[in-house]
């Protein structure tokens, strides 16, 4: 078998190589043309003189704060809330507010105190000190300095913004980064602080350390002993961020408009997503398992795959169609010859609970035989060079024209293209290659920097529009699904995006290599995305590029069971990958984890609802609720799923145990109910069929078994705790309910009370209380004594449950 796999792999690699050879001439000519236009039209970098603000001259009040005038610059300070402030330094090209979801804010009472060397502006929570030479300092209520900024610097249209960092300060965010979770800890080969590029990029089969990646967002969280803060730069131009003793953000253009908020980590994400928008509630099925690979090719191949899931008793929620299912790799197509009854086929899968996701790339084939291309030409929808020529760049279908999504007319036109696939039952869309990516012989794998964009009619070029491209494509798709299928919730997964992407789409970590290093790296990437406002993400289980060993695939699968986007996918050049690929005992182990994910659906769905309310990412760093413990700041090989679960993946081959430093409070071992004290380093067993998994004491972990809701009660060591379960129809915009459960522990007992909200009918036929960690002596439901075999209580709706134990 191993010999056949090696032969198959070599044959696939040969096919892939031949496949790419056809694009070499086009990539070469495109690269030449791109360079020629950029040499002619890009602004020349010369000896631009340095400009700084100079001395403070005058301060005038404004509706939300103050307008401060310097000799060579102006600073506007606007309080949006008592702890969220917008600062805008002029001069500079103001951004189009694509990222901003909330424009209307209540007025905030602020005060001004003018001193000889500074101005002090205060709200109830935040104090800002602006010195006479342009330094800006932020203080919390305890009058501790949270952040100290240097005066900005301008070099022509380029600008540099710097801030002092404390010695212990940690930095998190910047979108998708194949780096350490604490971005400040990463070093380049010369042991200098790493510089992070702010330019969405297709790294194609990446490993650890590659930069940049697909989703670059200029937002980061600073964490130090005095507290934490978050800064978001509303600037989509290419930029570089470096975190040394001084943090440096250097932008190629645009204005220095940024937002600053203070608070605990959860508060920061709540404010940031209030500003840039929160993810809408996904359809419940989207939180299940998705199967995909580049290479299904035909309806028969997918039908065979789905049947194998059914025969192996493996839960399956969705199947993804890659580009090989299209007609010559053209967008909005599925080949009718290889999918002769697509409508019927999709309905057949839906009867099995399997949803079909269709891929879409943004490029449109440069051909008068393409109606889509002709429509785009008539609408003047495509990006052009400054002299009016179309930008035609090679991708999968050869030469392609690229829609300008910064034009609202183009977004509307693009959104109409999804309609007929929605009519036949396609459940969602997968946006790929939308950085946008192109094939090149050298240089940047995207559109020319001088490609022209509408920018909502204001005008601009690709230097400003590039990072926005994937997010605006996702917006067009989202609006299409809302319009043409208003009774169902949109599902879109996008490879690229910017600030605000969370309003429209999920994401995944792209073409990751099939290595143990990549498995470990995935944790930091997904946690970092969550701290950048992107709550729904996952990775190609086992890696996209390469053939994982059975152990690597299994450990990756176990980890991914606790990510929001749960999908296996792989390249066409590797051995096809499914849960049964490696035989036993792996199939049985994977089946148990698929079934565990299915049982955990009430918990995942409740976390999804919480995301819509507060913006919290379901996957969180260990310091999320215990940020004062600096030993947690560098933990990057484990994560929390909500407040209840702590997941400790196995990231080394051959490991049957691992150590972990725990946050405060107490924790139960999910597998054996052992109670463990927090804020200590422990060793956890991890045989092949197990991933170390802990449950926080005081949690009520909701799970399901068919139509029964099982409330796993993990009593607090002392005091009170609460949990909730969100329910609705699983899709649409109808009624909902929220069931809140309160725990109150005494020396000899535990009281559980239930509060119900909402009009949706309770969706479960019965309830089971499964109590962990204590030995129940007696139990009462609404004052009626009941039996508790195996620490379980079977019941229906109740108001109060009392438990007595020794």
């Amino acid at each position: 078998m191993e010999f056949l796999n090696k032969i198959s792999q070599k044959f696939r690699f040969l096919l892939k190589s031949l496949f790419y050879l056809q694009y070499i001439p086009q990539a070469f000519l495109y690269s030449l043309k791109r360079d020629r236009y950029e040499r002619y039209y890009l602004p020349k970098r010369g000896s631009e003189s340095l400009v700084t603000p100079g001395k403070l001259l005058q301060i005038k009040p404004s509706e939300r704060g103050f307008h401060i005038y310097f000799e060579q610059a102006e600073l506007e300070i606007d309080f949006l809330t008592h702890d969220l402030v917008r600062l805008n330094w002029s001069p500079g090209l103001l951004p189009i507010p694509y990222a901003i979801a909330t424009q209307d804010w209540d007025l905030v009472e602020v005060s001004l105190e003018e001193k000889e060397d500074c101005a002090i502006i205060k709200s109830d929570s935040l104090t800002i000190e602006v010195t006479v030479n342009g330094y800006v300092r932020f203080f919390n209520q305890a009058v501790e300095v949270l952040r100290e900024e240097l005066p900005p610097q301008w070099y022509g249209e380029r600008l540099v913004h710097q801030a002092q960092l404390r010695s212990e300060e940690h930095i998190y965010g910047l979108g998708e980064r194949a780096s350490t979770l604490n971005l400040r800890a990463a070093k380049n080969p010369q042991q200098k602080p790493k510089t992070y590029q702010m330019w969405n990029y297709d790294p194609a089969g990446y490993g650890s350390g590659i930069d940049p990646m697909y989703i670059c967002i200029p937002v980061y969280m600073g964490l130090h002993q005095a507290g934490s803060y978050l800064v978001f730069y509303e600037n989509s131009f290419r930029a570089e961020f470096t975190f040394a003793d001084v943090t440096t953000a250097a932008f190629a253009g645009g204005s220095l408009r940024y937002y600053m908020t203070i608070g605990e980590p959860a508060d920061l994400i709540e404010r940031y997503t209030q500003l840039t928008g929160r993810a809408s509630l996904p359809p419940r099925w989207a939180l299940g398992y998705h199967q995909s690979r580049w290479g299904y090719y035909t309806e028969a191949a997918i039908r065979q795959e789905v049947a194998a899931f059914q025969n192996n008793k493996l839960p399956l929620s969705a199947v993804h169609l890659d580009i090989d299912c299209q007609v010559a790799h053209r967008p909005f197509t599925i080949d009718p010859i290889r999918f002769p009854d697509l409508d019927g086929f999709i309905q057949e899968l839906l009867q099995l609970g399997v949803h079909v996701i269709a891929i879409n790339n943004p490029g449109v084939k440069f051909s008068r035989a393409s109606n889509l291309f002709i429509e785009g030409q008539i609408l003047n929808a495509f990006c052009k060079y400054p002299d009016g020529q179309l930008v035609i760049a090679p991708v999968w279908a050869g030469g392609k024209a690229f829609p300008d999504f910064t034009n609202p007319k183009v977004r509307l036109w693009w959104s109409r293209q999804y309609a007929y696939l929605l009519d036949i039952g396609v459940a969602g869309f997968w946006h790929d290659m939308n950085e946008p990516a192109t094939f090149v012989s050298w240089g940047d794998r995207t559109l020319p920097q001088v490609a022209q964009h509408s920018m909502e009619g204001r005008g601009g070029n690709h230097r400003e529009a590039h990072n926005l491209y994937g997010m605006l494509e996702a917006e067009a798709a989202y609006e299409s699904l809302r319009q043409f299928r208003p009774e169902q919730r949109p599902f879109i997964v996008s490879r690229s995006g910017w600030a605000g992407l969370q309003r429209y789409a999920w994401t995944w970590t792209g073409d990751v290599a099939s290595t143990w290093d990549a498995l470990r790296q995935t944790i930091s990437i997904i946690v970092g995305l969550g701290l950048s406002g992107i709550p729904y993400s996952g990775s190609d289980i086992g890696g996209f590029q390469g053939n994982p060993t059975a152990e690597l695939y299994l450990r990756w699968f176990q980890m991914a069971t606790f990510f929001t986007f749960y999908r296996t996918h792989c390249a066409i050049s590797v051995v096809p990958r499914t849960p049964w690929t490696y035989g036993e005992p792996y199939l049985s182990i994977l089946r148990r984890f698929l079934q565990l994910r299915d049982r955990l659906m009430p918990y995942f769905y409740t976390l999804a609802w919480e995301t819509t309310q507060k913006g919290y990412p379901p996957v969180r760093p260990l310091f999320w609720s215990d940020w004062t413990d600096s030993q947690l700041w560098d933990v990057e090989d484990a994560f929390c799923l909500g407040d209840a679960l702590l997941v400790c993946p196995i990231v080394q081959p051959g490991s049957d145990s691992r150590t972990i430093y725990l946050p405060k409070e107490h924790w139960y071992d999910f597998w054996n109910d052992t109670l463990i004290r927090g804020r200590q380093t422990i060793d956890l067993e991890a045989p092949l069929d197990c991933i170390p998994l802990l449950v926080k004491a005081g949690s009520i972990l909701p799970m399901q078994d068919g139509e029964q809701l099982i409330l796993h009660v993990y009593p607090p060591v002392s005091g009170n705790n609460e949990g909730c379960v969100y329910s609705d129809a699983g899709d649409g915009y109808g009624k909902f309910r929220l069931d809140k459960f309160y725990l109150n522990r005494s020396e000899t007992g535990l009281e559980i009370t239930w509060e119900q909200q909402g009009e949706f009918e309770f969706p479960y036929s019965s309830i089971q209380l499964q109590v962990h960690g204590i030995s129940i002596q007696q139990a009462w439901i609404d004052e009626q004594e009941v039996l508790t075999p195996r620490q379980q209580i079977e019941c229906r709706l109740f108001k109060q449950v009392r438990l007595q134990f020794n």
Side-chain angles (χ1 to χ4, degrees):
M1 179 60 71
E2 183 177 352
F3 173 74
L4 291 177
N5 284 342
K6 287 182 178 179
I7 293 296
S8 174
Q9 183 178 355
K10 290 180 179 179
F11 180 69
R12 290 172 181 274
F13 179 78
L14 177 62
L15 286 178
K16 182 181 179 183
S17 299
L18 293 173
F19 183 70
Y20 281 115
L21 282 175
Q22 64 180 309
Y23 297 110
I24 289 177
Q26 296 178 62
F28 179 79
L29 293 173
Y30 167 70
S31 301
L32 281 176
K33 188 172 185 178
R34 175 204 62 204
D35 288 358
R36 185 170 68 252
Y37 272 96
E38 290 185 349
R39 280 195 302 269
Y40 189 80
Y41 287 102
L42 278 180
K44 303 298 186 290
R45 292 280 296 273
S47 55
E48 298 98 335
S49 59
L50 168 65
V51 175
T52 58
K55 296 297 183 182
L56 192 155
L57 301 176
Q58 186 182 21
I59 303 177
K60 291 184 178 181
S62 63
E63 184 181 29
R64 294 192 166 276
F66 295 91
H67 200 137
I68 304 175
Y69 297 87
F70 293 81
E71 291 175 320
Q72 300 181 93
E74 298 175 13
L75 171 61
E76 296 173 78
I77 298 180
D78 295 314
F79 278 80
L80 306 184
T81 70
H82 62 95
D83 56 7
L84 171 64
V85 63
R86 178 179 63 214
L87 298 95
N88 193 91
W89 284 94
S90 301
L93 179 68
L94 288 175
I96 295 169
Y98 291 120
I100 307 304
T102 302
Q103 300 286 356
D104 297 324
W105 303 84
D106 293 335
L107 292 178
V108 178
E109 185 175 341
V110 296
S111 64
L112 171 66
E113 179 184 358
E114 293 190 66
K115 295 187 175 182
E116 184 177 341
D117 60 345
C118 68
I120 299 174
I121 302 168
K122 289 185 177 181
S123 71
D124 289 342
S125 302
L126 177 62
T127 297
I128 303 175
E129 178 186 278
V130 182
T131 70
V132 293
N133 53 359
Y135 284 79
V136 181
R137 299 184 182 93
F138 300 86
F139 300 81
N140 59 17
Q141 287 179 309
V143 200
E144 298 171 299
V145 177
L146 291 181
R147 178 176 167 89
E148 181 175 358
E149 299 175 351
L150 283 64
Q153 302 171 1
W154 289 267
Y155 301 84
E157 66 174 356
R158 295 183 296 122
L159 59 93
V160 175
H161 195 223
Q162 295 180 307
Q164 298 283 352
L165 293 181
R166 294 164 59 130
S167 59
E168 82 279 9
E169 190 163 347
H170 283 47
I171 301 293
Y172 309 95
L174 293 189
E176 187 176 21
R177 299 291 160 179
S179 178
T180 50
L181 179 61
N182 170 24
L183 300 177
R184 197 178 179 193
K187 306 285 186 179
N188 67 21
Q190 290 75 41
Q191 294 303 300
K192 297 178 181 178
K194 186 172 181 177
T195 295
Y196 298 94
Q197 302 292 323
M198 200 61 54
W199 190 253
N200 292 349
Y201 184 72
D202 172 14
Y206 68 90
S208 297
I210 191 72
D211 189 85
M213 289 177 63
Y214 309 97
I215 300 177
C216 301
I217 304 175
V219 59
Y220 66 84
M221 179 186 297
L223 177 59
H224 52 68
Q225 294 294 349
S228 58
Y229 64 88
L230 179 142
V231 174
F232 165 54
Y233 291 92
E234 193 186 354
N235 186 322
S236 62
F237 279 82
R238 183 194 289 267
E240 293 182 346
F241 282 72
T242 305
F243 303 101
D245 293 338
V246 172
T247 176
T248 300
F251 292 89
S255 69
L256 183 53
R257 171 173 284 186
Y258 60 105
Y259 301 78
M260 166 78 178
T261 187
I262 65 172
E264 297 186 3
D267 301 326
L268 302 179
I269 299 303
E270 186 169 4
R271 275 287 184 251
Y272 173 69
T273 56
Q274 183 182 8
L275 175 71
T276 62
R278 291 177 182 150
S280 58
L281 190 65
R284 187 176 169 118
W285 61 260
L287 292 164
Y289 178 74
H290 301 230
Q291 178 67 30
S292 177
R293 75 177 174 90
W294 182 6
Y296 283 136
Y297 197 67
T298 65
E299 178 182 306
I302 296 172
R303 180 177 279 107
Q304 181 180 1
E305 198 92 314
V306 172
F309 271 89
Q310 301 290 319
N311 293 336
N312 283 294
K313 296 181 172 56
L314 302 171
L316 177 64
S317 286
V319 169
H320 291 232
L321 309 183
D322 209 329
I323 55 173
D324 47 340
C325 297
Q326 296 178 321
V327 178
H329 305 127
R330 298 188 180 190
F332 303 109
T333 66
I334 299 175
D335 194 324
I337 295 176
R338 290 180 283 113
F339 292 80
D341 182 21
L342 186 59
D343 191 349
F345 176 56
I346 290 176
Q347 298 307 314
E348 174 189 329
L349 293 186
L350 283 173
Q351 292 296 316
L352 300 173
V354 180
H355 301 76
V356 172
I357 310 300
I359 197 170
N360 216 48
N361 294 345
V364 176
K365 177 69 174 177
F366 176 54
S367 169
R368 290 182 62 83
S370 166
N371 285 337
L372 192 60
F373 176 73
I374 293 173
E375 287 181 15
Q377 275 197 305
I378 293 171
L379 286 169
N380 196 25
F382 299 123
C383 296
K384 296 180 179 180
Y385 289 104
D387 63 1
Q389 284 195 52
L390 283 179
V391 174
I392 304 299
V395 198
W396 299 115
K400 287 198 171 189
F402 288 81
D404 175 14
F405 295 123
T406 71
N407 185 334
K409 177 180 66 177
V410 175
R411 292 197 297 273
L412 179 61
W413 165 67
W414 195 255
S415 72
R416 290 195 293 263
Q417 310 308 317
Y418 295 85
Y420 86 95
L421 290 174
L422 294 173
D423 286 343
I424 62 170
V426 169
F429 293 90
W430 160 21
H431 289 176
D432 204 6
M433 303 292 284
N434 59 340
E435 289 70 36
T438 66
F439 297 157
V440 298
S441 294
W442 62 84
D444 199 359
R445 294 202 288 266
T446 190
L447 302 186
Q449 295 182 63
V450 296
Q452 300 296 288
H453 288 267
S454 164
M455 301 304 296
E456 306 304 307
R458 185 250 283 162
N461 62 30
H462 201 64
R463 295 188 307 145
E464 182 181 10
H466 174 82
N467 287 330
L468 302 167
Y469 198 87
M471 189 265 283
L472 294 176
E473 181 197 21
E475 179 187 356
Y478 182 88
E479 295 302 328
S480 177
L481 271 65
R482 289 289 288 121
Q483 177 184 354
F484 294 109
R485 202 159 56 193
E487 74 286 354
Q488 296 179 25
R489 302 174 197 155
F491 177 76
I492 300 160
V493 57
S494 175
R495 193 171 77 173
S496 185
W498 200 62
L501 176 69
Q502 67 271 9
R503 304 196 298 262
Y504 311 119
W506 296 23
T507 192
W508 85 107
T509 61
D511 296 349
V512 58
S514 298
T515 66
W516 286 92
D517 283 345
L519 183 156
R520 190 181 192 280
Q521 180 71 83
T522 295
I523 303 170
S524 293
I525 293 175
I526 289 178
V527 173
L529 280 166
L531 295 177
S532 304
I534 309 294
Y536 296 113
S537 61
S539 64
D540 293 340
I541 298 175
F544 174 79
Q545 195 65 266
N547 291 296
T549 63
E551 182 190 10
L552 175 57
Y553 181 68
L554 174 63
R555 291 306 195 185
W556 206 312
F557 203 103
Q558 290 171 336
M559 173 182 72
T561 300
F562 303 96
F563 292 154
T564 45
F565 187 31
Y566 189 29
R567 182 182 79 163
T568 290
H569 180 60
C570 61
I572 196 170
S573 57
V574 305
V575 176
R577 190 180 311 150
T578 61
W580 57 85
T581 296
Y582 301 95
E584 294 291 0
Y586 302 98
L587 172 58
S588 294
I589 298 171
L590 294 173
R591 181 186 294 113
R592 287 199 294 274
F593 276 88
L594 280 166
Q595 292 169 346
L596 173 61
R597 172 62 171 248
D598 191 60
R599 296 202 310 275
L600 279 168
M601 194 60 68
Y603 183 58
F604 270 94
Y605 202 51
T606 301
L607 290 177
W609 169 80
E610 184 182 54
T611 296
T612 68
Q613 303 300 301
K614 298 181 179 180
Y616 295 170
V619 175
R620 304 166 186 172
L622 267 61
F623 65 75
W624 180 264
S625 58
D626 191 10
W627 69 270
T628 60
D629 187 350
S630 59
Q631 293 191 65
L632 297 170
W633 294 358
D634 287 306
V635 177
E636 58 182 17
D637 60 353
F639 59 91
C640 291
L641 178 64
D643 287 335
L645 293 179
L646 196 164
V647 185
C648 307
I650 300 303
V651 296
Q652 297 290 337
S655 298
D656 57 9
S657 68
R658 62 156 293 170
T659 60
I660 184 69
Y661 177 79
L662 298 178
K664 64 182 179 181
E665 310 297 349
H666 286 75
W667 299 83
Y668 291 90
D669 189 305
F670 178 84
W671 306 108
N672 59 31
D673 285 351
T674 301
L675 183 63
I676 307 165
R677 177 176 51 85
R679 289 196 172 177
Q680 64 166 329
T681 299
I682 63 167
D683 190 73
L684 295 171
E685 293 183 357
L688 196 61
D689 63 351
C690 172
I691 182 173
L693 183 63
L694 304 177
V695 188
K696 189 175 182 178
S699 298
I700 296 179
L701 183 64
M703 300 176 70
Q704 66 184 21
D705 185 1
E707 295 184 356
Q708 185 177 55
L709 175 67
I710 303 175
L711 298 175
H712 289 269
V713 179
Y714 293 87
V717 174
S718 62
N720 305 321
N721 287 84
E722 63 182 77
C724 66
V725 181
Y726 174 85
S727 304
D728 61 21
D731 207 343
Y733 301 92
K735 298 176 181 179
F736 69 91
R737 69 179 290 125
L738 187 66
D739 294 288
K740 292 186 175 181
F741 300 92
Y742 300 90
L743 301 179
N744 184 10
R745 180 162 182 170
S746 63
E747 290 186 4
T748 60
L750 180 69
E751 181 180 277
I752 305 169
T753 56
W754 184 353
E755 177 185 297
Q756 303 172 40
Q757 301 175 6
E759 299 179 351
F760 186 70
E761 185 177 350
F762 189 69
Y764 300 97
S765 61
S766 62
I767 302 166
Q768 180 187 102
L769 295 177
Q770 175 69 64
V771 183
H772 300 261
I774 60 174
S775 179
I776 302 174
Q777 301 302 310
Q778 286 180 286
W780 297 266
I781 297 178
D782 294 332
E783 301 305 324
Q784 296 292 317
E785 188 171 0
V786 295
L787 299 177
T788 58
R790 301 183 302 281
Q791 300 285 99
Q792 297 173 358
I793 301 174
E794 304 287 340
C795 59
R796 284 284 297 166
L797 304 182
F798 63 84
K799 293 181 180 180
Q800 182 192 71
V801 171
R802 289 192 299 113
L803 307 176
Q804 182 176 314
F805 49 84
N806 292 332

